[in-house]
Amino acid sequence: MDIKRDLIEGEEFKLPCIQFTPSKSKGAAVIVHGYGGSKEEQLGLAWRVALKGITTCAIDIRGHGENPNSLDRNILTDLEVAISYCRQFGKVAAIGHSLGGRLALVSSADYAVGISPALGSIYSSETQNALKWKRDYRVKADSPDLIFDVFSGLPIWKPEDDRKLIDHTLIVYGSRDMPDIMASCKELKSDGLSVIQIDDALHNDIYNIEATFEVVTGKIGEWFDLRQ
């Protein structure tokens, strides 16, 4: 397994990433952290996905980690640049947590995994306070309220508009997740999508739980026809 820190070239910006390249690769995955997160938080998940035989890139989206650019409404561009870069390895899965889950689901990736995805455009005061006061200090942004402007500017994910998404999408959430997120995920399950609840998982630890690793890598193996 080759592991390297790198910068993916975008248009007038560079995207920090950590890339895992197995000796034999059959596709690629981009791992996207949530609001206030970083690529380093996602290395465990990235490693487990790479072990399946997939070239995997964990990235820092703008406003986060080593990315020098401030948070703004063009945040989806970062993920799309990473997806375009990874197409050299074959089909691409986007795997994201929270805000990253929303980005993954609305991206151009061939497959998408939303881990506790932030799907709504309106959030309760409890959720807003959690984002502003518990995560804001880790984000480069002009205002703690900017994140809600970013959410409102993202495309609305509507799987009912394209039923083939059912076979290309996985939703994972925790039994102790944020109420807004649990409600939206349960609604998607009733619509026929593949939605899995991880017992006892919280919003901010679900991406580092063994049960999540197993569910996500299992689906990746199915999508990419991996035998190991």
Side-chain angles (χ1 to χ4, degrees):
M1 179 83 67
D2 179 62
I3 303 172
K4 67 176 181 178
R5 300 170 66 87
D6 206 352
L7 293 172
I8 299 174
E9 294 282 346
E11 187 173 343
E12 299 184 352
F13 69 89
K14 295 181 179 180
L15 187 67
C17 81
I18 298 176
Q19 179 175 320
F20 298 80
T21 307
S23 56
K24 294 182 179 179
S25 180
K26 193 177 181 181
V30 181
I31 311 289
V32 197
H33 58 78
Y35 181 71
S38 69
K39 62 185 181 303
E40 281 76 15
E41 286 184 348
Q42 304 298 324
L43 292 184
L45 178 58
W47 171 254
R48 294 293 289 271
V49 172
L51 287 177
K52 295 292 292 185
I54 294 290
T55 296
T56 306
C57 290
I59 64 173
D60 280 331
I61 55 178
R62 62 190 62 196
H64 296 77
E66 294 181 305
N67 194 318
N69 299 303
S70 295
L71 181 69
D72 63 33
R73 294 184 69 166
N74 296 314
I75 197 167
L76 182 58
T77 302
D78 294 337
L79 174 55
E80 292 296 350
V81 164
I83 290 171
S84 295
Y85 166 80
C86 283
R87 290 210 177 277
Q88 64 184 295
F89 306 108
K91 289 188 175 182
V92 181
I95 305 170
H97 170 249
S98 195
L99 169 60
R102 171 78 169 271
L103 295 173
L105 292 168
V106 300
S107 76
S108 64
D110 300 291
Y111 308 102
V113 178
I115 301 173
S116 298
L119 296 175
S121 55
I122 299 175
Y123 295 92
S124 67
S125 58
E126 177 186 354
T127 299
Q128 291 186 40
N129 288 334
L131 287 173
K132 287 194 290 186
W133 307 120
K134 295 182 180 180
R135 306 292 287 178
D136 177 64
Y137 74 98
R138 304 177 68 180
V139 180
K140 296 182 285 290
D142 294 335
S143 160
D145 293 316
L146 181 60
I147 182 58
F148 303 110
D149 180 57
V150 170
F151 274 126
S152 67
L154 288 173
I156 300 297
W157 186 61
K158 295 181 178 180
E160 65 271 18
D161 292 344
D162 188 352
R163 300 309 291 175
K164 73 179 183 181
L165 290 176
I166 291 178
D167 296 328
H168 293 183
T169 304
L170 171 67
I171 305 293
V172 182
Y173 72 99
S175 65
R176 299 165 64 195
D177 222 310
M178 290 183 177
D180 295 348
I181 287 174
M182 287 195 291
S184 61
C185 289
K186 289 177 181 178
E187 184 176 345
L188 288 172
K189 186 171 185 177
S190 68
D191 290 339
L193 273 83
S194 179
V195 180
I196 296 177
Q197 176 182 286
I198 304 297
D199 291 340
D200 297 323
L202 295 163
H203 185 75
N204 289 329
D205 71 3
I206 187 170
Y207 53 82
N208 272 327
I209 291 178
E210 179 62 27
T212 304
F213 294 159
E214 292 178 0
V215 167
V216 173
T217 58
K219 182 58 73 172
I220 290 292
E222 175 185 326
W223 284 333
F224 288 89
D225 192 26
L226 305 171
R227 302 303 180 187
Q228 65 264 41

